[in-house]
Amino acid sequence: MRTLEEARKWEEEKKIPEEKRPVFHLTPRVGWMNDPNGFSRYQGKYHLFYQYYPYNSFWSSMHWGHAVSTDLVHWEYLPCAMAPEDEYDQDGCFSGSSTTLPDGRQLLVYTGVRHIEGGPPGRDFYQTQCLAVGDGLNYEKYAGNPVISTEMIPDGGSLHDFRDPKIWQLDDGSYRLVVANRGSDKNGRILLYESADGFSWTFRKVLLENDGRFGRMWECPDFFRLEGKGVLLVSPQDMLPEGVEYHNGNGTVCFLGTLSEDGLDFHPEHHQAIDYGIDFYAPQTVLSPDGRRIMIGWMQNWDACAIRKPASPWAGQMSIPRELSIRDGRLYQWPVRELDALRAEKREFRDIEIEGEMSLPGISGRVLDMELVIRPGDAEKMYRRFSIRFAQGKDYYTSLRFRPHEFSLKLDRTFSGSRRAIVHQRSCFVDQGAEELRLRIILDRYSAEVFVNGGRQVMTATIYTEQEADGISFCCDGKAKLNLVQYNIRA
Ligand code: DQQ
């Protein structure tokens, strides 16, 4: 068992050159990162913790890494916040969240994974909910841990799958949290607990149960009100595909529905994927001081981790933080407006006719923000395929292919330089009534995030193509008209 002190010393010594990281996406200080944790505002800054294994670039004994930001696009590393060094969390400080106590201290709530000596292989642990209290830099685990023990799981729920508490404070000063649990039918469900002071908790109700339709176990819930609707975000494991809405394996689901005034009765009316790309999981949200609900996700998928070379000094990235809104009964996402301040060197083209393959002068790069509007170029004869290639070099590219007759948009990183037999393509169906396709593409050295039609859908993928491959080209098998604005991003 390695202590917090050891972790802090280790990360101090291991310096990764800035040019080996993305420019404006957060990566682990060193080693491995997965889920965002404790995404919150504290003492005038955004705090973001993350699932962290500093000693190597693979998932192992989970610590909490820590970073702060004033604008969500520049991050400063703080020392590792927690290590799994206590009896009740010796097998990992798993995901959780954070809030502020009335006395100004920061409260972290997380899942402690407790080892059971001689327990069944692969199941020799219990998961319980634990606390740590701190000043934004140093945290002390609560002497009364765990505060939600396995005895507090209702109706024969699993003692092994009980994790990822998301806490929030009510107007009356009391607290609630939602946490994921595997029910006796093996499916995930979301349990809601209440507390007057953040330390002493009671079970209140099952908020929502998976009827078997959305994978099996659910992970990393988040629950909030947005524009009068209740929103529940969950990340199911073991999903089965449903058209192009949901894909196999670990996915993300957003439920929108009615939420009673007391916030206790949630009735979903709509569900959708949160991200239609390859790499997005376990998102968590924070409320900004100006009232925006901002979501960040782990920009990786468990089944596709092999995309990254095992010898890399860091593995795992966070997505660009995204502002959430509801339109036409759907969740929309848009990059935080703070990113706009990093835009530099504008290049603009209007009404460019794309026929066959072509590139545009000055349009290239791997760290950029690009907005495109694609319209038919020939009223009589609609084109059948329009594609954009980026991160393009002699041998490599990643592409977006739009087939208007099928309303389908495909993100494809097959030729991005990956040597692994993992998923490299994903598609989504775009709005069928629209005359034009609008895309905002954000590239940052090792990733592409594509916001479709004003954020109605988002497709995210990591790409580890050599940085020299910075070409961008367009191809149409008929005629298309293109408006394009490109900015380089300068941090
Ligand atoms: N990752 C954490 C768990 C969570 C899972 C462990 C989701 O708390 O359920 O690193 O990626």
Side-chain angles (χ1 to χ4, degrees):
M1 199 191 307
R2 295 204 234 185
T3 62
L4 180 63
E5 237 170 283
E6 276 174 88
R8 287 182 165 193
K9 191 158 167 281
W10 174 269
E11 58 183 12
E12 259 304 308
E13 284 164 7
K14 304 279 163 190
K15 298 257 184 283
I16 302 174
E18 282 307 305
E19 61 279 9
K20 297 249 184 283
R21 296 183 188 272
V23 173
F24 56 100
H25 286 80
L26 184 70
T27 47
R29 188 162 175 189
V30 56
W32 167 272
M33 158 195 279
N34 56 286
D35 321 342
N37 293 161
F39 193 21
S40 55
R41 288 282 302 180
Y42 184 66
Q43 294 179 342
K45 288 188 176 162
Y46 291 98
H47 282 246
L48 181 61
F49 302 83
Y50 51 89
Q51 290 285 281
Y52 182 38
Y53 183 61
Y55 304 108
N56 227 318
S57 294
F58 48 71
W59 187 91
S60 186
S61 182
M62 280 292 108
H63 295 55
W64 273 38
H66 192 185
V68 286
S69 175
T70 51
D71 63 2
L72 297 161
V73 285
H74 296 91
W75 292 96
E76 179 197 335
Y77 290 111
L78 292 185
C80 179
M82 286 196 285
E85 52 186 343
D86 291 278
E87 198 208 328
Y88 50 82
D89 64 16
Q90 60 180 272
D91 274 8
C93 298
F94 276 18
S95 284
S97 51
S98 126
T99 189
T100 305
L101 291 166
D103 63 7
R105 291 176 301 159
Q106 194 176 26
L107 182 71
L108 311 183
V109 44
Y110 69 100
T111 298
V113 185
R114 178 160 74 83
H115 187 71
I116 318 168
E117 212 44 64
R123 281 274 180 256
D124 54 351
F125 58 83
Y126 287 143
Q127 299 187 335
T128 58
Q129 312 321 316
C130 302
L131 303 176
V133 182
D135 60 359
L137 192 63
N138 297 304
Y139 299 86
E140 202 174 310
K141 290 183 191 158
Y142 180 52
N145 278 342
V147 292
I148 307 182
S149 64
T150 45
E151 286 89 65
M152 294 163 72
I153 302 173
D155 318 326
S158 165
L159 316 185
H160 309 286
D161 288 305
F162 178 44
R163 57 182 173 269
D164 311 334
K166 172 74 199 243
I167 191 172
W168 70 97
Q169 192 173 28
L170 273 63
D171 291 341
D172 66 4
S174 67
Y175 299 90
R176 284 188 184 150
L177 66 77
V178 282
V179 58
N181 178 227
R182 193 189 289 271
S184 52
D185 62 354
K186 307 258 182 289
N187 288 325
R189 57 185 186 160
I190 302 302
L191 308 181
L192 192 145
Y193 291 80
E194 290 177 326
S195 169
D197 60 2
F199 292 86
S200 167
W201 290 88
T202 45
F203 170 70
R204 178 66 192 248
K205 68 177 297 192
V206 176
L207 184 74
L208 192 69
E209 282 178 287
N210 178 10
D211 56 6
R213 183 149 176 226
F214 302 96
R216 300 294 259 165
M217 175 59 184
W218 285 353
E219 300 189 305
C220 300
D222 198 346
F223 186 48
F224 49 89
R225 215 182 276 276
L226 182 68
E227 297 170 27
K229 288 281 171 195
V231 183
L232 176 69
L233 311 180
V234 293
S235 294
Q237 298 177 318
D238 305 312
M239 288 281 275
L240 288 173
E242 197 180 307
V244 293
E245 190 65 31
Y246 300 113
H247 55 73
N248 313 62
N250 291 65
T252 50
V253 178
C254 164
F255 295 98
L256 293 182
T258 54
L259 183 58
S260 60
E261 210 164 303
D262 62 6
L264 288 167
D265 292 310
F266 176 56
H267 300 285
E269 294 159 339
H270 164 80
H271 61 87
Q272 66 179 88
I274 302 174
D275 196 285
Y276 294 80
I278 304 169
D279 296 305
F280 191 83
Y281 196 65
Q284 200 172 82
T285 68
V286 67
L287 206 54
S288 68
D290 58 2
R292 289 172 290 156
R293 179 60 67 171
I294 297 170
M295 178 181 76
I296 197 164
W298 180 40
M299 193 158 56
Q300 184 64 61
N301 192 296
W302 285 111
D303 287 331
C305 289
I307 186 92
R308 187 92 175 110
K309 289 198 191 97
S312 323
W314 60 263
Q317 309 176 56
M318 291 298 162
S319 71
I320 184 82
R322 304 169 181 180
E323 294 176 13
L324 301 184
S325 58
I326 298 175
R327 258 182 270 165
D328 320 322
R330 284 182 62 88
L331 184 79
Y332 272 65
Q333 303 166 53
W334 199 242
V336 278
R337 60 197 68 170
E338 286 83 347
L339 181 64
D340 298 357
L342 271 51
R343 289 171 154 190
E345 295 128 357
K346 180 177 181 182
R347 292 192 186 87
E348 186 164 10
F349 293 85
R350 295 193 75 82
D351 286 327
I352 298 291
E353 197 156 282
I354 306 286
E355 194 175 5
E357 208 182 316
M358 60 193 282
S359 51
L360 295 171
I363 299 300
S364 65
R366 285 290 288 276
V367 184
L368 55 81
D369 185 350
M370 184 155 94
E371 295 193 74
L372 305 103
V373 182
I374 301 142
R375 284 171 286 127
D378 183 341
E380 304 295 299
K381 198 166 169 286
M382 184 63 181
Y383 66 86
R384 301 194 72 81
R385 202 171 83 168
F386 181 93
S387 55
I388 305 160
R389 290 181 176 185
F390 51 88
Q392 185 173 20
K394 193 165 78 52
D395 303 313
Y396 306 124
Y397 63 86
T398 293
S399 69
L400 273 169
R401 257 193 315 271
F402 178 51
R403 293 178 191 272
H405 295 88
E406 296 166 9
F407 310 102
S408 87
L409 181 68
K410 181 186 277 185
L411 177 66
D412 186 351
R413 64 174 180 190
T414 307
F415 301 103
S416 66
S418 165
R419 293 175 189 271
R420 301 274 65 87
I422 55 173
V423 167
H424 287 119
Q425 303 181 344
R426 282 268 151 73
S427 297
C428 68
F429 290 128
V430 303
D431 188 6
Q432 300 206 0
E435 277 282 288
E436 53 186 34
L437 175 69
R438 286 175 293 131
L439 301 175
R440 181 167 175 192
I441 303 175
I442 293 179
L443 304 183
D444 185 4
R445 286 192 182 141
Y446 308 102
S447 62
E449 288 165 281
V450 181
F451 294 80
V452 185
N453 288 333
R456 191 177 166 87
Q457 280 122 339
V458 189
M459 306 182 89
T460 300
T462 56
I463 46 170
Y464 291 97
T465 318
E466 59 188 28
Q467 295 301 308
E468 293 70 35
D470 66 352
I472 296 176
S473 66
F474 307 90
C475 186
C476 185
D477 65 355
K479 274 189 194 154
K481 279 262 169 72
L482 175 69
N483 287 354
L484 180 154
V485 184
Q486 186 200 291
Y487 301 89
N488 294 331
I489 295 286
R490 301 261 177 239

